[in-house]
Amino acid sequence: MNTQRQVLVVDDQEINRKILIKILESDYDVITAENGEEALSILHSVGEGISAILLDIMMPILDGYGVLEVLAKDAFLSRIPVLVTSQKDGEDSELKALNFGASDFVSKPYNADILKKRLNNLIVMHEATTTVNILKRDVLTGLYSKEAFMHMVDLRLKREMNKKYDIVALDIVNFKLVNDTYGVEEGNKLLGYLADKLEIITKKKHNLCARVYADQFLLFMERTESYLECMVDDIESSMIAYPVDMKLHVKFGIYNVDDINVNVNAMCDRAVMAVKSIKSDFNKQYAYYDDSFREKMLVEQEITNDIDLALKDNQFKVYLQPKYNILEGKLAGAEALVRWIHPEKGFMNPGQFISILEKNGFITDLDIYVWNKTCEYIARWIKTGKKYVPVSVNVSRKDVYKQNLPEILMDIVTAHGLLPKHLHLEITESAYTENQEQLLSVVEKLKEQGFIIEMDDFGSGYSSLNMLSEFPIDILKLDMKFIQNSGSNIKNRSIMSSVIDLAKKIDLSVVAEGVEEQSQVTMLKGMGCDMVQGYYFAKPLTEEEFRNRLMSEPVII
Ligand code: C2E
Ligand code: CA
Ligand code: CA
């Protein structure tokens, strides 16, 4: 693990600096300065990261004693141990240096082994006796702890007011899944790997990095041109290179430090808030904090607080949007879409709460509620009207991580006296790219049980065409964007047409959603699409409205 300590070598003679680098470079990250003034300027900008100073006494501009004098007055820098490296010219100078605050003395010419031993002893003793240092490093990764990080950021902001900085919070998407699937040890390995990359990135420019807990990291970065894009690319490719059977992504939340009077802890919280805000947003890799966040977080909190009661109180209503067979124009199915009739907030569309529930884990409770309600409807139609169409329910990508999903779904259909074929399961495309192995095993099981699997939102994310043959799906649901952009965009139209062709070749049915116009229906018919869903046919309807259609219209299954 790349957690080499940094030492600062201060000597005006190039040859001396070279000798010291040669002795130390295998154990330390060595920085050099040619005189006292340069040393102080380095210490003032990155002093917090330095474990020890090797200081020559006789130097032009500002000598070793001068440096020691300045250090003694700085509450933080005075804690860094100093090993004086001078020509032996009597015990007086040695004593003088010690009086000025030096910790120890080695004289030229150097004995490499003695010098290394002394330096090591000094650092180890210093770190063991300073409580600040005990808290300073995260044991697992060797990065700074949050406390040490905040302290250093505070000092740096006060000292270097002429520069612009950002606090960046990082988060590994689905880190918990790595832990759950491969074990904590593998999870720790991944954290160490990322920590090493971050350390290399930050050290180059004297920036800082810390691990807060679990997979949450914080960086303090000087805001230079396009540093963010470079870093995001750099880390993204490191994650792709990581040898594990899962797509790993890192997300970033950025807080621009424009007002140094904001407390550093609050700055860190804001960076974390920014990264959390895009946790389940598949298309965003980074987000900046702005003041609207506070408001958003409050709303999220309210929704989280209300969900339990809402489920018990039947505040959720399941609407049904018809699907039509395109060739015969007959009703052929429906999609169950949830709405929340909130006692204070009123009618809420899923866009207002699904992603929040996915983030805090309540989505499965809601989905189970929706699956139950849907089965209740179908069972009633069969019983009272002797007629039904299969209904597709949405399966959140979070549900897929439940090992017992097949049992849960099977129990629900049998409890209502139905068969798995009565339900279609819409699994969103992004779930297929996140954790293919886990998903494959769950989907295979669901299919064996007789459920019909639809890949939802196809074309909206990173999926590839060969995924279609790898996953045992039955139906492909083209993302709405395809249809909505098809009018003006010829390229889009031809892509859509070849996707439909390919799907047919491997025996998949194709559903197009978001169909709003007659012209789109005609186009889709020409391309060989099987089913259509959209406002052109009907908006999502209440169960009663849908039942009326079902009972009065011809149906094809
Ligand atoms: P989705 O699964 O892609 O569902 C289709 C969305 O498109 C629905 O939005 C539907 O009302 C809307 N839509 C249908 N036809 C048209 C059209 O012609 N034009 C346009 N512009 N939109 C159309 P809705 O109901 O707001 O749901 C949004 C998303 O919320 C769904 O997207 C789905 O991802 C999620 N969702 C809805 N209900 C549930 C649920 O019970 N569980 C889970 N996990 N997610 C759900
Ligand atoms: Ca859907
Ligand atoms: Ca969809």
Side-chain angles (χ1 to χ4, degrees):
M1 204 169 287
N2 188 327
T3 52
Q4 278 194 347
R5 294 181 176 89
Q6 259 182 342
V7 296
L8 172 64
V9 165
V10 193
D11 201 307
D12 58 321
Q13 305 283 321
E14 195 186 353
I15 177 77
N16 288 339
R17 294 198 299 274
K18 279 195 172 150
I19 292 170
L20 287 171
I21 289 175
K22 205 163 168 28
I23 296 174
L24 300 171
E25 69 186 352
S26 59
D27 297 325
Y28 299 94
D29 179 10
V30 184
I31 323 178
T32 57
E34 292 181 19
N35 58 59
E37 214 167 78
E38 194 190 340
L40 286 177
S41 115
I42 293 177
L43 285 165
H44 279 139
S45 69
V46 296
E48 311 82 21
I50 288 171
S51 295
I53 305 166
L54 288 97
L55 181 69
D56 183 27
I57 290 295
M58 304 296 281
M59 290 182 296
I61 308 181
L62 181 69
D63 69 5
Y65 298 124
V67 173
L68 287 167
E69 224 166 10
V70 176
L71 295 187
K73 288 186 198 131
D74 185 304
F76 196 84
L77 294 181
S78 63
R79 298 202 194 112
I80 304 173
V82 181
L83 187 61
V84 166
T85 56
S86 236
Q87 214 68 49
K88 181 120 182 145
D89 57 358
E91 281 166 3
D92 280 357
S93 61
E94 213 168 309
L95 188 64
K96 188 173 172 195
L98 293 173
N99 278 338
F100 268 76
S103 312
D104 204 351
F105 208 94
V106 282
S107 41
K108 296 169 190 165
Y110 305 121
N111 172 315
D113 290 336
I114 291 180
L115 183 130
K116 269 161 78 164
K117 196 77 205 148
R118 284 209 172 157
L119 181 63
N120 181 57
N121 287 350
L122 203 62
I123 293 175
V124 169
M125 199 164 71
H126 173 76
E127 288 184 356
T129 52
T130 323
T131 44
V132 173
N133 278 318
I134 294 172
L135 300 171
K136 207 169 162 176
R137 297 247 173 213
D138 163 46
V139 182
L140 180 70
T141 60
L143 298 183
Y144 290 118
S145 64
K146 186 176 180 195
E147 288 71 23
F149 175 82
M150 289 195 303
H151 177 76
M152 291 176 213
V153 169
D154 194 38
L155 288 172
R156 192 76 76 79
L157 289 175
K158 284 180 185 141
R159 276 192 201 131
E160 289 186 62
M161 299 211 256
N162 54 336
K163 291 183 181 165
K164 288 276 178 216
Y165 292 100
D166 290 339
I167 305 260
V168 183
L170 279 82
D171 194 291
I172 306 175
V173 180
N174 282 334
F175 176 67
K176 200 178 157 293
L177 200 64
V178 177
N179 265 346
D180 292 349
T181 316
Y182 301 103
V184 175
E185 214 169 290
E186 270 306 311
N188 285 348
K189 250 194 231 164
L190 171 62
L191 293 176
Y193 174 82
L194 178 59
D196 289 352
K197 301 283 166 213
L198 293 175
E199 190 156 42
I200 293 166
I201 290 172
T202 47
K203 234 176 200 167
K204 257 191 274 172
K205 295 258 165 69
H206 302 313
N207 291 310
L208 300 168
C209 71
R211 185 176 78 117
V212 183
Y213 66 84
D215 60 330
Q216 213 176 78
F217 294 83
L218 285 172
L219 311 179
F220 177 68
M221 304 294 288
E222 189 181 338
R223 199 186 311 152
T224 51
E225 210 186 313
S226 66
Y227 88 87
L228 187 69
E229 289 77 5
C230 292
M231 178 169 77
V232 169
D233 285 353
D234 195 354
I235 293 183
E236 184 70 10
S237 39
S238 302
M239 293 315 261
I240 290 170
Y242 192 73
V244 70
D245 272 349
M246 204 183 271
K247 292 244 165 68
L248 296 170
H249 294 284
V250 172
K251 298 208 175 208
F252 303 77
I254 304 110
Y255 175 74
N256 295 140
V257 183
D258 290 327
D259 174 4
I260 67 158
N261 296 315
V262 175
N263 156 324
V264 176
N265 199 12
M267 295 181 186
C268 297
D269 285 351
R270 289 173 188 185
V272 171
M273 251 186 234
V275 72
K276 278 192 176 160
S277 73
I278 50 167
K279 227 176 163 172
S280 46
D281 189 336
F282 207 68
N283 297 314
K284 278 195 187 152
Q285 199 166 15
Y286 57 84
Y288 287 89
Y289 173 88
D290 67 60
D291 286 334
S292 66
F293 266 89
R294 189 170 295 282
E295 183 68 20
K296 228 171 108 193
M297 294 299 273
L298 287 176
V299 172
E300 291 196 0
Q301 196 53 51
E302 277 172 23
I303 286 187
T304 310
N305 295 343
D306 293 348
I307 176 86
D308 250 348
L309 182 66
L311 284 167
K312 286 194 194 106
D313 259 9
N314 283 314
Q315 290 173 17
F316 290 103
K317 296 281 172 264
V318 178
Y319 277 52
L320 299 163
Q321 186 175 32
K323 290 185 185 175
Y324 281 85
N325 170 296
I326 203 167
L327 272 184
E328 305 199 25
K330 289 181 187 161
L331 184 64
E335 176 176 8
L337 293 160
V338 73
R339 272 84 184 102
W340 187 348
I341 320 295
H342 194 282
E344 283 132 37
K345 297 191 175 76
F347 188 94
M348 291 205 284
N349 276 315
Q352 291 167 268
F353 55 86
I354 293 285
S355 67
I356 300 174
L357 301 185
E358 281 186 333
K359 230 187 283 177
N360 62 27
F362 286 110
I363 189 67
T364 309
D365 297 328
L366 173 65
D367 281 344
I368 289 176
Y369 177 90
V370 173
W371 303 338
N372 265 303
K373 263 279 173 261
T374 305
C375 287
E376 196 184 305
Y377 292 163
I378 303 173
R380 208 186 310 145
W381 303 333
I382 295 176
K383 201 168 156 216
T384 60
K386 311 265 179 287
K387 215 175 170 190
Y388 84 98
V389 283
V391 180
S392 313
V393 292
N394 287 287
V395 176
S396 159
R397 56 191 132 119
K398 298 288 163 182
D399 301 334
V400 170
Y401 301 139
K402 291 224 172 305
Q403 291 286 355
N404 60 342
L405 183 72
E407 288 79 32
I408 296 178
L409 277 157
M410 200 61 193
D411 287 350
I412 293 177
V413 289
T414 37
H416 290 88
L418 297 179
L419 296 169
K421 67 164 189 189
H422 292 119
L423 273 195
H424 289 195
L425 307 177
E426 293 193 3
I427 304 176
T428 185
E429 179 203 66
S430 58
Y432 292 85
T433 48
E434 272 172 25
N435 180 12
Q436 305 200 346
E437 241 170 70
Q438 159 91 6
L439 188 70
L440 191 62
S441 83
V442 171
V443 170
E444 268 167 359
K445 227 161 139 196
L446 288 165
K447 241 191 100 95
E448 261 166 43
Q449 290 176 316
F451 288 102
I452 311 288
I453 313 293
E454 303 193 14
M455 183 187 279
D456 199 0
D457 308 320
F458 183 79
S460 63
Y462 301 125
S463 55
S464 59
L465 287 170
N466 54 11
M467 238 170 57
L468 293 180
S469 54
E470 280 164 20
F471 279 93
I473 55 169
D474 305 281
I475 298 174
L476 186 68
K477 223 178 155 182
L478 296 177
D479 192 73
M480 214 173 295
K481 278 182 224 130
F482 266 126
I483 284 79
Q484 284 164 359
N485 297 332
S486 62
S488 55
N489 190 330
I490 299 176
K491 201 167 146 210
N492 225 315
R493 228 164 24 227
S494 73
I495 294 176
M496 191 161 69
S497 168
S498 16
V499 169
I500 295 176
D501 275 350
L502 181 99
K504 310 257 71 175
K505 281 205 185 91
I506 52 174
D507 265 353
L508 298 178
S509 286
V510 180
V511 182
E513 64 179 332
V515 177
E516 296 179 353
E517 293 161 21
Q518 169 64 50
S519 61
Q520 294 167 335
V521 182
T522 313
M523 175 189 73
L524 287 161
K525 209 176 203 172
M527 290 177 179
C529 176
D530 303 279
M531 296 228 269
V532 272
Q533 173 186 347
Y535 296 165
Y536 177 71
F537 299 92
K539 295 212 161 162
L541 309 171
T542 62
E543 190 270 334
E544 195 194 344
E545 290 167 332
F546 182 80
R547 191 176 355 116
N548 291 339
R549 264 188 197 232
L550 174 67
M551 297 307 160
S552 60
E553 287 182 13
V555 161
I556 181 170
I557 299 177

